[in-house]
C-alpha cells in the first residue's frame, strides 16, 4: 500500500484500481479546514487522471468519524456578506467533485455532519458503518448548509425528507439513512468498512471502464438536466459505446461462455 500526503490534512493511497482519499485530521474529527478544501479536489483530480485507477473512495481517519463538518474553531476576521460570498464562490470545493469522471464512494464511519454530509452527498455512492450518524446541524448554528446540502439532499432523498432533516437537524443512524436512500450500503460491522468498500469498488472496477464512466455521466445528468436533454445524453453515450471493443468483447464472451477481457476501448 502506497501512501502519499497531499498536505497536512489529506493523504492518498493506491490499492490496485482503487484510489483512497483519506482525511487525516482525526484529532478534530476531520473538521473541514482549508487544507481539506484544497486537498480533496486535488487528490480526486489526480486519481481521475491516473489510468491505473478506476474507482475512488473517500474515508476519514480516526475512531470518531468521517467528518464533523466545517471547522467551527477556524479563526477568520470579521467578514461582510459580499466577502463571504466571494470567498466561498472562489472555493466551491464540494462542487469540484461534480467534475470527476470516475465513480467516487464515500466510506463513512461515525460522525458525518454538516459539511461532512455535504461532501458525502456529492459522492456517487454512500457506504457507511452501522454506527454512522448523519445530521445537518447548520440552522442551530445560525446558518444553512453552504456546500450543496440544500440542493443535493432533496434530489437524493426527496424534498419532504430533506426538508425534515434540514429544518430539525435531527440525527439519523445508518439504518434510518439507508431506509430513505441517503446511503445505499452498510458495512456488516464497523471494523469491516475499509475491506468491504474495497471489495465493492473492485466489483465496479471489473466492469467495462468506458461504460462505467458513461453510466455515471448519464445518471448524473438526471440531477440537473431536463428529461429530454437527459434522454439525448443517454442515447449519445449509448451510441458511442455500442461499437466499442469492450461491448463487442462482452457479446463474444457471452456466446463463448467465458469471462470478458476488457481493455477500456
Ligand atoms: N470544528 C472544529 N473542531 C471540531 C469540530 C468542528 N466541526 N467537531 C469536533 N471538533 C473537535 C473538538 O473541538 C475536539 O477538539 P479538542 O479535543 O481539541 O477539544 C475534537 O474535535 C473531538 O471532538 P469532541 O471532544 O467534541 O468529541 P465528542 O465525541 O465528544 O463529540 C461531536 C463529537 C458531537 C461531533 C462534537 O464534536 C460536535 O458537536 N462537533 C461539532 C459538529 C458540528 O456542529 N459541525 C458543524 C456542522 S455545520 C457545517 O459544517 C457548516 C456550517 C459551519 C459553520 C462554521 C462557522 C465558522
Amino acid at each position: 500500500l502506497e501512501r502519499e500526503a497531499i498536505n497536512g490534512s489529506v493523504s492518498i493511497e493506491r490499492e490496485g484500481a482503487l484510489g483512497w482519499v483519506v482525511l487525516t485530521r482525526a484529532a478534530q474529527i476531520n473538521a473541514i479546514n482549508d487544507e481539506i478544501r484544497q486537498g480533496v479536489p486535488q487528490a480526486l483530480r489526480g486519481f481521475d487522471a491516473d489510468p491505473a485507477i478506476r474507482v475512488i473512495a473517500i474515508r476519514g481517519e480516526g475512531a470518531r468519524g468521517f467528518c464533523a463538518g466545517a471547522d467551527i474553531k477556524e479563526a477568520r476576521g470579521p467578514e461582510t456578506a459580499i466577502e463571504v460570498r466571494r470567498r466561498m464562490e472562489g472555493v466551491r470545493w464540494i462542487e469540484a467533485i461534480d467534475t470527476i469522471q470516475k465513480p467516487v464512494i464515500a466510506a463513512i464511519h461515525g460522525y458525518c455532519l454538516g459539511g461532512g454530509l455535504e461532501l458525502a452527498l456529492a459522492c456517487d455512492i454512500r457506504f457507511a458503518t452501522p454506527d454512522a450518524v448523519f445530521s445537518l446541524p447548520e440552522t442551530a448554528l445560525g446558518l444553512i448548509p453552504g456546500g450543496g446540502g440544500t440542493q443535493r439532499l432533496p434530489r437524493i432523498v426527496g424534498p419532504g425528507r430533506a426538508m425534515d432533516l434540514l429544518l430539525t437537524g435531527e440525527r439519523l443512524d445508518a439504518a434510518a439513512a439507508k431506509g430513505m436512500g441517503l446511503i445505499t450500503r452498510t458495512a456488516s460491522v464497523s471494523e469491516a468498512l475499509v475491506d468491504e468498500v474495497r471489495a465493492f469498488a473492485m466489483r465496479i472496477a471489473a466492469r467495462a471502464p468506458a461504460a462505467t464512466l458513461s453510466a455515471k455521466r448519464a445518471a448524473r445528468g438526471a440531477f440537473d438536466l431536463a428529461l429530454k436533454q437527459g434522454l439525448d445524453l443517454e442515447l449519445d453515450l449509448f451510441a458511442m459505446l455500442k461499437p466499442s471493443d469492450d461491448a463487442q468483447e462482452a457479446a463474444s464472451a457471452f456466446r463463448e461462455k467465458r469471462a470478458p477481457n476488457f481493455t477500456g476501448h
Side-chain angles (χ1 to χ4, degrees), residues 4-262:
E4 188 186 315
I6 298 285
N7 57 40
S9 306
V10 181
S11 287
I12 57 171
E13 293 173 0
R14 288 189 179 79
E15 275 198 300
L18 172 61
W20 285 102
V21 178
V22 188
L23 310 181
T24 60
R25 240 192 138 206
Q28 310 294 311
I29 322 182
N30 300 309
I32 299 156
N33 60 3
D34 286 337
E35 285 187 333
I36 290 178
R37 291 184 187 97
Q38 187 270 329
V40 169
Q42 184 186 330
L44 291 171
R45 281 194 290 266
F47 282 144
D48 218 26
D50 182 342
I53 298 296
R54 295 209 172 151
V55 181
I56 305 166
I58 307 177
R59 71 170 197 269
E61 265 184 358
R64 276 175 296 193
F66 173 71
C67 177
D71 189 328
I72 301 171
K73 296 186 287 194
E74 202 173 42
R76 279 192 209 282
E79 288 176 304
T80 65
I82 289 172
E83 286 163 347
V84 175
R85 186 67 171 74
R86 194 175 296 142
R87 172 168 59 78
M88 291 186 65
E89 179 70 42
V91 178
R92 293 201 178 235
W93 69 284
I94 290 177
E95 271 172 75
I97 301 174
D98 292 337
T99 67
I100 303 301
Q101 292 185 296
K102 294 170 187 173
V104 181
I105 302 166
I108 302 157
H109 74 290
Y111 290 110
C112 180
L113 310 177
L117 178 51
E118 295 183 290
L119 169 60
L121 290 170
C123 296
D124 299 304
I125 305 267
R126 282 158 294 284
F127 201 127
T129 58
D131 65 5
V133 175
F134 303 87
S135 159
L136 288 176
E138 282 87 346
T139 55
L141 295 163
L143 297 168
I144 64 170
T150 66
Q151 303 305 301
R152 289 199 178 89
L153 191 61
R155 284 166 164 83
I156 291 169
V157 304
R161 284 181 283 241
M163 193 66 86
D164 183 317
L165 294 172
L166 181 66
L167 298 182
T168 65
E170 209 164 272
R171 286 185 177 182
L172 290 182
D173 62 18
K178 196 170 179 192
M180 66 170 69
L182 174 54
I183 62 173
T184 56
R185 302 266 169 177
T186 42
S188 53
V189 292
S190 296
E191 297 68 34
L193 179 70
V194 167
D195 287 342
E196 291 179 11
V197 168
R198 181 189 306 114
F200 175 78
M202 291 312 164
R203 277 160 47 204
I204 296 174
R207 303 168 78 84
T212 297
L213 299 192
S214 295
K216 165 170 173 165
R217 197 173 149 207
R220 284 220 148 212
F223 247 64
D224 49 24
L225 296 176
L227 181 60
K228 175 68 178 135
Q229 287 174 291
L231 293 172
D232 283 346
L233 173 63
E234 182 189 83
L235 205 51
D236 286 345
L237 293 170
F238 182 90
M240 282 197 288
L241 289 168
K242 188 67 175 59
S244 70
D245 292 350
D246 280 350
Q248 308 297 312
E249 163 63 8
S252 304
F254 178 78
R255 278 191 297 270
E256 293 159 21
K257 300 184 190 299
R258 59 174 176 83
N261 191 358
F262 293 128

